[in-house]
Amino acid sequence: MKEKTRNLDPVILLKEVGLSPTMQRVAILRYLLLNRNHPTVNMIYQDIRRKIPTLSKTSVYNSLNLFRKHNLVFTVPTDEDEKHYDLRLTSHSHFICRECRIIYDLKLPKININDEINGHKVEQYDVILRGICNKCKSKKS
Amino acid sequence: MKEKTRNLDPVILLKEVGLSPTMQRVAILRYLLLNRNHPTVNMIYQDIRRKIPTLSKTSVYNSLNLFRKHNLVFTVPTDEDEKHYDLRLTSHSHFICRECRIIYDLKLPKININDEINGHKVEQYDVILRGICNKCKSKKS
DNA sequence: ATAGTTGCAAAGGCTTTGCACCGCG
DNA sequence: CGCGGTGCAAAGCCTTTGCAACTAT
């Protein structure tokens, strides 16, 4: 089975869902395309501000919430206060290190989920693994 | 394979992990034992306040954070702002309705996760399903 | 003109922190 | 007395909202 390939140009992605590709939006979406690091609003803001010094945090929030409505980005379900954003161009799981809090992408064998479970209509699922990542493990020894 | 049965007495549970069973802590833990509804701090607070009117929200926070440190309770990874608490006496998954935001427990076939993936030490995993629950589905029709 | 965007400032909401008080060994 | 636990008040953050200025069609 082949993953559907999607266009990786932020401008085209935005147009596809009917959003005007403003400088800010393109920059934010491009950041997400280039940095697959599940960033927080602040990480995105701090980075793009170097190129667009007038960028406001509000616009980052606005854009990301818009992107979410259009299923361009998703949030990684964590138990942290800050939201972490994710593109999901391919289906994958996440490993969260309880030491350094870094979120790693993981390719797990797909699990079979019915479209309907206990009468609930299932649209999406996430698998989150937790533990100690390899870097933190070696730091300790 | 049999699930390990655990004592369901809040006092004993607290003592087992070395926490003194104060009135507040017992009440909070008992609430979680009796109400498997993935409550927020506020839900717990509002309920117990009826019996212990002097209870403070701070104490609810203090207790729950303590319980978490001792692995008595966990938080359900959602993308909401309020944390939802869960006991996990048995391993189960969660279904979150994107309409009413209710979190349902789900018994899914266990998935096989290695203790180590990509060099990361896996200690725990969560499966979160999302969609529309049966109640909200029928409301719409 | 008109609708859509941006960004500052303020508000809102959840959680943590500081600290005084209380109770119990 | 000393220690742990509680709870009020305040602070801290993340996020949203209100709104005025701006842009582009």
Side-chain angles (χ1 to χ4, degrees):
Chain A
M1 223 181 324
K2 220 179 134 205
E3 292 273 356
K4 196 176 82 180
T5 48
R6 292 187 62 182
N7 208 312
L8 295 189
D9 183 337
V11 176
I12 294 177
L13 280 173
L14 286 168
K15 282 184 182 163
E16 270 178 12
V17 298
L19 291 173
S20 43
T22 65
M23 194 179 35
Q24 289 86 339
R25 290 178 185 164
V26 171
I28 293 167
L29 192 49
R30 173 155 46 225
Y31 178 95
L32 287 164
L33 286 161
L34 295 179
N35 305 276
R36 307 301 179 84
N37 54 350
H38 316 89
T40 63
V41 162
N42 214 42
M43 289 164 71
I44 300 170
Y45 172 66
Q46 297 297 346
D47 183 276
I48 301 180
R49 225 156 84 94
R50 294 206 303 263
K51 289 168 201 162
I52 310 177
T54 60
L55 179 76
S56 73
K57 224 179 240 187
T58 305
S59 289
V60 182
Y61 280 113
N62 285 342
S63 301
L64 288 172
N65 286 339
L66 255 183
F67 296 173
R68 274 209 285 175
K69 271 199 201 97
H70 290 85
N71 285 330
L72 278 179
V73 308
F74 301 86
T75 52
V76 183
T78 69
D79 42 15
E80 294 188 29
D81 296 334
E82 267 178 294
K83 289 195 180 78
H84 290 258
Y85 294 87
D86 192 21
L87 276 174
R88 320 236 172 144
L89 297 175
T90 64
S91 93
H92 59 267
S93 311
H94 293 112
F95 176 92
I96 305 176
C97 177
R98 68 166 158 82
E99 194 89 8
C100 65
R101 310 266 77 190
I102 287 178
I103 302 171
Y104 296 85
D105 279 347
L106 235 67
K107 195 82 196 139
L108 287 188
K110 201 169 240 162
I111 57 175
N112 261 341
I113 304 277
N114 292 342
D115 291 348
E116 189 171 309
I117 295 182
N118 293 5
H120 310 313
K121 189 182 161 221
V122 180
E123 297 171 339
Q124 192 201 99
Y125 74 87
D126 273 296
V127 181
I128 296 102
L129 281 65
R130 260 179 269 267
I132 300 288
C133 76
N134 51 23
K135 280 182 199 156
C136 290
K137 226 176 14 177
S138 48
K139 254 181 227 157
K140 285 186 165 178
S141 57
Chain B
M1 226 183 321
K2 218 177 136 210
E3 290 272 357
K4 197 176 82 181
T5 49
R6 289 186 64 182
N7 208 312
L8 295 188
D9 183 337
V11 176
I12 295 177
L13 280 173
L14 287 168
K15 281 184 182 164
E16 270 178 12
V17 299
L19 291 173
S20 41
T22 66
M23 195 177 34
Q24 289 85 341
R25 289 178 186 164
V26 172
I28 294 166
L29 193 48
R30 175 156 44 225
Y31 178 96
L32 287 164
L33 285 160
L34 295 179
N35 305 275
R36 306 302 177 84
N37 54 350
H38 317 89
T40 62
V41 162
N42 214 43
M43 291 165 70
I44 301 171
Y45 173 66
Q46 298 297 347
D47 183 275
I48 301 181
R49 225 155 84 94
R50 295 204 303 263
K51 291 169 201 162
I52 310 177
T54 58
L55 178 76
S56 72
K57 222 178 239 186
T58 306
S59 289
V60 182
Y61 279 112
N62 285 342
S63 302
L64 288 171
N65 286 340
L66 255 182
F67 296 173
R68 274 208 284 175
K69 272 200 200 98
H70 290 85
N71 286 329
L72 278 179
V73 308
F74 300 85
T75 53
V76 184
T78 69
D79 43 15
E80 294 189 28
D81 296 334
E82 266 179 296
K83 289 194 180 78
H84 290 258
Y85 294 87
D86 191 21
L87 275 174
R88 319 236 174 145
L89 297 174
T90 64
S91 92
H92 59 265
S93 312
H94 292 113
F95 175 92
I96 306 176
C97 176
R98 68 167 157 83
E99 193 89 7
C100 64
R101 310 266 77 191
I102 287 180
I103 302 171
Y104 296 86
D105 279 347
L106 238 71
K107 196 82 195 138
L108 287 188
K110 201 168 240 164
I111 57 175
N112 261 343
I113 304 277
N114 292 343
D115 292 347
E116 190 171 308
I117 295 180
N118 291 7
H120 310 313
K121 188 182 161 222
V122 180
E123 299 171 338
Q124 191 201 101
Y125 74 87
D126 273 298
V127 180
I128 295 103
L129 282 65
R130 261 178 267 267
I132 300 287
C133 76
N134 50 24
K135 280 183 198 157
C136 289
K137 223 174 17 174
S138 47
K139 253 182 230 157
K140 285 188 166 178
S141 57

